[in-house]
Amino acid sequence: ARVSAMIVIIGGGICGFSIGWRLAQAGRETVILERGEAGRQTTWAAAGMLAARIEAEHGEEWQLPLMLQSRNQWPEFAAELQAASGIDVEYRTEGTILVGLDCDDREGLEHRHQYLTGLGLELEMLSGHEARQREPHLSRTVTGALSSPLDHQVENRQVFLALKKAFLEAGGILREGAEVTGIVTSAGRAAGVTLDDGEEIAAEAVVMAAGAWSRNFDGLPDAVRPPVRPLKGQMIALQMPPDAPLVEHVIWGPRIIYMVPRNDGRLVIGTTVEEMGFDTQLTAGGMLHLLRYAYEILPGIYDLPLVESWVGLRPTSRD
């Protein structure tokens, strides 16, 4: 059976729905194909950090203008999405603080401060005392910190729910449980997709937004097969009292651990970066790593209830 669709988007995550929403707003007939339940993979697992500055790395300076432009568009995008959907995406502007726990960390922070300010980025070096003045529950062992007031956060799950609603209300079509197995090409361009049940959907254009799964489609020419692979990340959420959260800022620490406070009092903690293919098992070592290093920075987490744990697969590439 052949079903005609003007534009087919493979993947029902934040990228697929953002693109789909804009296309539907522009009056284009658009269908999103999601093999499972939309928004429940990487998009649901993420932490929602918009950290173009604190995450800038040596050798990746060429990416920075794009990262900054994306980050600068977020407030307006969040406001428009909120207005279109009626769903609060919890855009928060407290900023991000990167802390150090010993003399080596402090030296690393000073080097990082010099590097980032050399790129023209607005970051401030803090002493341990100054860091604790901003976040009193930080450990007494914090030796120094970098404050990045323009590295914000958003509640990624709320963003997805808002995008889904806005997309559907703009006339977009969502098909869940529709697993794409192949790309149909004609005269050197994408002409549609095939599903696992044999259905073929003709398309004027095909948008590949399948994240870590984006290279695994039959019929995709090798020359355009994206060089992405999954990078496993284990995460947990602890429950702080919503009226008395331990922290207000996003907190980063050594060993790439991060803690993200949410409006409902949840504290999302993530760190692990594991080359494990498409494995999504939680491990004792992963949980130990998260809790041990989070506790070093924020000892007040000791008595907090652990309310959720999960695994996400980041789409990543060598560059």
Side-chain angles (χ1 to χ4, degrees):
R2 289 175 68 88
V3 180
S4 179
M6 292 307 291
I7 298 176
V8 167
I9 298 173
I10 306 172
I14 191 169
C15 291
F17 272 91
S18 297
I19 295 164
W21 179 39
R22 291 306 195 207
L23 287 167
Q25 278 182 316
R28 300 305 300 270
E29 187 184 351
T30 307
V31 59
I32 291 176
L33 302 176
E34 167 56 48
R35 63 177 190 159
E37 185 183 351
R40 295 289 165 157
Q41 294 289 338
T42 311
T43 292
W44 203 254
M49 294 178 291
L50 308 173
R53 291 162 175 81
I54 211 84
E55 290 201 62
E57 294 289 347
H58 290 280
E60 296 179 1
E61 291 83 0
W62 60 277
Q63 291 183 358
L64 191 58
L66 179 64
M67 304 263 284
L68 293 174
Q69 184 178 339
S70 174
R71 155 63 191 83
N72 292 342
Q73 288 178 343
W74 255 101
E76 190 179 332
F77 176 73
E80 185 187 348
L81 181 56
Q82 211 156 292
S85 66
I87 294 174
D88 181 5
V89 300
E90 298 180 25
Y91 187 93
R92 291 182 52 163
T93 60
E94 290 89 347
T96 299
I97 297 177
L98 169 62
V99 303
L101 293 172
D102 57 29
C103 293
D104 287 347
D105 288 345
R106 167 87 194 191
E107 197 172 308
L109 287 171
E110 288 170 354
H111 175 73
R112 189 148 186 76
H113 180 243
Q114 192 176 354
Y115 168 68
L116 294 172
T117 53
L119 294 174
L121 303 177
E122 312 82 345
L123 287 95
E124 181 187 359
M125 191 73 202
L126 306 176
S127 66
H129 174 69
E130 288 168 332
R132 281 184 292 275
Q133 282 185 311
R134 298 192 188 187
E135 290 290 3
H137 292 282
L138 288 174
S139 167
R140 304 296 299 175
T141 60
V142 167
T143 53
L146 263 184
S147 169
S148 183
L150 296 178
D151 279 332
H152 297 163
Q153 64 140 311
V154 71
E155 190 6 319
N156 43 286
R157 296 178 179 182
Q158 293 294 101
V159 170
F160 168 72
L161 295 173
L163 278 170
K164 180 181 174 182
K165 188 176 178 190
F167 170 73
L168 294 173
E169 289 184 356
I173 301 162
L174 168 62
R175 288 183 57 182
E176 295 178 305
E179 183 168 1
V180 175
T181 52
I183 310 297
V184 178
T185 57
S186 174
R189 55 171 291 141
V193 298
T194 53
L195 304 186
D196 60 345
D197 62 1
E199 180 184 347
E200 188 175 306
I201 302 176
E204 177 187 332
V206 176
V207 177
M208 182 71 73
W213 292 265
S214 291
R215 63 178 287 105
N216 305 341
F217 294 96
D218 292 337
L220 199 58
D222 285 339
V224 296
R225 196 175 289 274
V228 295
R229 67 183 192 280
L231 202 57
K232 178 181 176 181
Q234 301 188 48
M235 299 177 69
I236 57 174
L238 309 180
Q239 185 63 53
M240 305 181 291
D243 56 344
L246 290 179
V247 288
E248 299 277 359
H249 296 76
V250 176
I251 306 294
W252 281 55
R255 304 171 191 87
I256 351 175
I257 191 158
Y258 52 79
M259 292 177 270
V260 184
R262 300 296 200 207
N263 289 1
D264 63 1
R266 281 181 310 132
L267 184 66
V268 174
I269 304 174
T271 175
T272 68
V273 176
E274 302 167 70
E275 295 281 2
M276 294 292 291
F278 288 95
D279 173 69
T280 54
Q281 283 194 316
L282 290 159
T283 65
M287 296 297 99
L288 175 66
H289 186 94
L290 289 168
L291 290 167
R292 175 185 172 190
Y293 294 124
Y295 174 76
E296 282 187 1
I297 296 165
L298 201 63
I301 68 169
Y302 190 88
D303 291 316
L304 297 181
L306 197 162
V307 292
E308 192 183 353
S309 54
W310 66 96
V311 170
L313 299 174
R314 310 169 181 86
T316 192
S317 63
R318 287 196 296 184
D319 63 355

